[in-house]
Amino acid sequence: MSFEPETTMETTLLPVGYVDENGAVHRDVELHAMTGREDDLLAARGTAWKSRIGQVLTNCIDRIGPYATKPDIAKALRALPSTDRMWMLIRLRVLSLGDVYELPLTCPHCDVESTHRVMLSSFVAGDGQGRYERTITLPGGRTARWVLLGWEAESALEFLGRDESESKAEIDRKRNSITLFSRLVSYGDYTFSRDFTKRHPETKMLEIPEADMAALQGMPYLHRGLIYQEIKRVEDALLPLDFTVVCPRVACGKGSEAELELRDFFSVTSCGLAGTSAD
């Protein structure tokens, strides 16, 4: 069986869609496979990963709905929720490197390292019908309004995957509050600033404005948990990225949940293909 790309162009439907200035929802997107231009972009280590990925998508999108000029595509791309951008990255990966994605994983039960093969065609997008904002009513009658993760908030969360020892403890301490802040619009009578511009001068971690942090930390534990739960339910319905992995070690053989990540996502070594040597 061949896992090579079958075509270099594709039209796909976004999980949510681009809502333009007139309120029209556009879910159809045309993509073409990556070339050497995108290879050079991804290799530009001096540029933030988010910026590189954004430029790769801008290059490889031929249109979003009726919008086909690069300025219009870049504008639409920044307006889309992260679920839509992730879906386009998955489809672009299939177009450019094929359906197979091989990634290294460590069994959480026995610490055995192995390579797991994921078929990217197994991921299916839902239908969010252009709805960016959601409301949840909590026990006691208080409501919380939240939005799907957007470009600015997603950029501010890049640090969450970092491993620098000097900032890891601080990141872990504020991780849950930052995750909520990246999505919440209001809680009860309080409206969040949604200011993602302030960063710690050393760790570059997002600094939540004082009033917003006070509101987040003053929320009942139950309410925070129910909001997390609702965010996960909605985002999983739009684009489920979890999959089950079974440890290859016979003595273990236990299953665990993993999530599709962008780590080495566009590396040729992850696609299970190789050229034929003439030697």
Side-chain angles (χ1 to χ4, degrees):
M1 178 183 294
S2 173
F3 298 112
E4 296 179 47
E6 296 180 357
T7 181
T8 58
M9 300 187 69
E10 176 180 291
T11 300
T12 186
L13 288 179
L14 297 173
V16 182
Y18 170 52
V19 181
D20 66 20
E21 294 172 350
N22 298 316
V25 180
H26 306 286
R27 295 182 61 207
D28 55 311
V29 173
E30 286 185 4
L31 298 166
H32 67 259
M34 296 163 59
T35 66
R37 297 183 185 89
E38 289 68 55
D39 184 23
D40 287 341
L41 274 171
L42 292 175
R45 299 299 182 185
T47 308
W49 171 252
K50 184 77 166 74
S51 298
R52 283 181 275 159
I53 284 295
Q55 189 58 58
V56 166
L57 280 175
T58 301
N59 286 5
C60 294
I61 295 171
D62 294 322
R63 68 171 182 84
I64 299 179
Y67 300 97
T69 68
K70 289 306 177 184
D72 283 344
I73 289 171
K75 178 182 177 180
L77 193 59
R78 292 183 69 88
L80 289 171
S82 63
T83 49
D84 285 17
R85 286 190 293 278
M86 185 64 185
W87 176 248
M88 286 189 287
L89 288 171
I90 291 173
R91 298 314 307 165
L92 183 58
R93 169 60 167 70
V94 172
L95 276 176
S96 305
L97 293 177
D99 197 20
V100 171
Y101 176 41
E102 295 183 339
L103 69 163
L105 294 172
T106 301
C107 176
H109 305 289
C110 68
D111 294 328
V112 163
E113 297 180 354
S114 63
T115 298
H116 186 77
R117 173 172 283 192
V118 178
M119 305 304 291
L120 294 174
S121 59
S122 66
F123 294 94
V124 180
D127 182 1
Q129 301 178 347
R131 290 182 60 199
Y132 288 20
E133 185 173 304
R134 311 283 172 133
T135 300
I136 178 174
T137 301
L138 301 161
R142 185 170 296 188
T143 61
R145 288 191 301 126
W146 63 279
V147 292
L148 298 170
L149 190 65
W151 180 278
E152 290 185 358
E154 189 178 20
S155 298
L157 295 182
E158 276 190 284
F159 73 89
L160 287 178
R162 299 192 328 180
D163 294 325
E164 288 89 335
S165 58
E166 68 272 14
S167 60
K168 189 176 188 302
E170 183 69 6
I171 288 171
D172 287 343
R173 187 173 72 83
K174 294 183 178 180
R175 182 183 299 271
N176 288 351
S177 287
I178 291 174
T179 299
L180 280 180
F181 180 63
S182 68
R183 293 167 173 84
L184 278 174
V185 175
S186 66
Y187 171 70
D189 295 330
Y190 184 80
T191 300
F192 290 90
S193 69
R194 298 195 56 75
D195 180 358
F196 305 113
T197 61
K198 297 179 176 64
R199 306 294 179 90
H200 189 280
E202 296 179 1
T203 65
K204 306 305 179 185
M205 184 173 71
L206 174 68
E207 290 281 304
I208 299 176
E210 188 175 341
D212 292 329
M213 181 59 87
L216 289 166
Q217 294 187 334
M219 292 169 61
Y221 183 82
L222 173 63
H223 285 188
R224 284 175 60 125
L226 291 175
I227 295 170
Y228 289 135
Q229 182 176 286
E230 178 65 3
I231 289 171
K232 181 169 175 53
R233 183 192 69 79
V234 171
E235 292 184 349
D236 281 354
L238 291 173
L239 184 56
L241 297 175
D242 295 338
F243 55 92
T244 301
V245 178
V246 177
C247 179
R249 180 169 168 261
V250 176
C252 177
K254 294 180 180 179
S256 59
E257 292 296 312
E259 183 174 339
L260 189 66
E261 298 178 353
L262 293 182
R263 175 186 53 179
D264 297 326
F265 198 56
F266 289 103
S267 169
V268 172
T269 59
S270 71
C271 71
L273 295 171
T276 301
S277 173
D279 297 336

